[in-house]
Amino acid sequence: MRIKDTAESWRVTATETPFTGNKTSVRTDVVVMPDGSTVKRDYQVHPGSVAVVALDEQGRVVVINQYRHPVRQKLWEIPAGLLDVPGENPLRAAQRELYEEAHIKAEDWRVLTDVYTSPGGCDEAVRIFLARDLSAAEGERFEVFEEEAEMELARVPLADLVRGILAGELHNTCLTVGVLSLAAALAGDGLDALRPAESPWPARPFES
């Protein structure tokens, strides 16, 4: 049996936004249940994100180490960032993030996977790309601020990242999903079978 997620929207009779932040907000909806009763659902409204598994010719993945205040840890992650502009093309956003965070460009791009990070409490959707045929970006490095000013950059063999994830030593969502998806693709139909970089993304429709 093949299973797949399907679109569905239960009726909302009222909605309010008790908090609006710089990039995200909190929304409260009154939702009609199948039995006719109503419940309140609070969730974070998020613009969406992109992330990049950048794989070099030696089978190493580009990772960054960054402080994340909510969890009070420095996490190893893959380059990622917000979709700051409504309707923004996710591929171009991913190329921008790879340049800004790692000063790298890539010639070959594929969609690795699409995920909702925490669908019970947030509508954030993330598209994770695979980038190959890497080279150094031209020009000066992008100027970084705040937490990003302390970022450490490394290239780590894919197998080492898989071991770290399964050992409970690596915890970032995009890193975990991206690395394990890459390992699954390599063990399955291969990287050339992945979706094209401009594949439709119903969760965050975009302009070409």
Side-chain angles (χ1 to χ4, degrees):
M1 180 180 67
R2 180 177 178 178
I3 63 172
K4 62 181 294 186
D5 298 335
T6 56
E8 184 167 347
S9 182
W10 292 359
R11 186 162 64 94
V12 174
T13 59
T15 187
E16 61 179 19
T17 305
F19 170 79
T20 300
N22 185 32
K23 297 293 185 181
T24 67
S25 60
V26 173
R27 180 176 296 164
T28 300
D29 288 343
V30 178
V31 184
V32 179
M33 297 287 104
D35 64 1
S37 63
T38 59
V39 297
K40 285 187 174 182
R41 290 290 179 260
D42 303 319
Y43 58 99
Q44 183 185 21
V45 179
H46 193 285
S49 306
V50 291
V52 184
V53 176
L55 182 68
D56 69 14
E57 294 180 353
Q58 299 178 48
R60 301 175 302 175
V61 174
V62 176
V63 292
I64 57 177
N65 191 239
Q66 185 171 352
Y67 175 67
R68 293 301 188 184
H69 185 71
V71 295
R72 306 302 199 273
Q73 289 192 25
K74 291 188 72 174
L75 300 181
W76 285 101
E77 306 178 353
I78 55 177
L82 298 175
L83 291 169
D84 294 313
V85 180
E88 183 176 17
N89 185 294
L91 173 59
R92 287 198 282 272
Q95 291 169 334
R96 180 189 68 230
E97 294 300 333
L98 185 61
Y99 161 71
E100 291 181 358
E101 296 192 350
H103 201 63
I104 288 172
K105 64 179 181 179
E107 299 301 324
D108 187 277
W109 290 82
R110 307 282 175 132
V111 174
L112 193 50
T113 190
D114 299 323
V115 295
Y116 292 114
T117 55
S118 184
C122 180
D123 73 349
E124 180 184 14
V126 182
R127 169 156 281 189
I128 303 178
F129 289 90
L130 172 67
R132 292 182 292 172
D133 194 3
L134 309 181
S135 61
E138 295 90 356
E140 297 293 325
R141 291 189 64 92
F142 183 79
E143 188 175 2
V144 294
F145 304 92
E146 299 171 345
E147 290 94 341
E148 292 185 352
E150 300 298 320
M151 287 194 309
E152 179 184 349
L153 186 69
R155 296 193 183 199
V156 180
L158 175 63
D160 291 351
L161 294 175
V162 171
R163 280 194 291 269
I165 291 167
L166 299 180
E169 298 168 350
L170 300 170
H171 307 90
N172 176 264
T173 300
C174 291
L175 173 81
T176 299
V177 174
V179 163
L180 295 183
S181 294
L182 174 57
L186 287 167
D189 295 333
L191 303 186
D192 290 337
L194 292 171
R195 286 174 289 160
E198 294 276 11
S199 295
W201 188 18
R204 293 294 185 274
F206 59 91
E207 302 172 2
S208 298

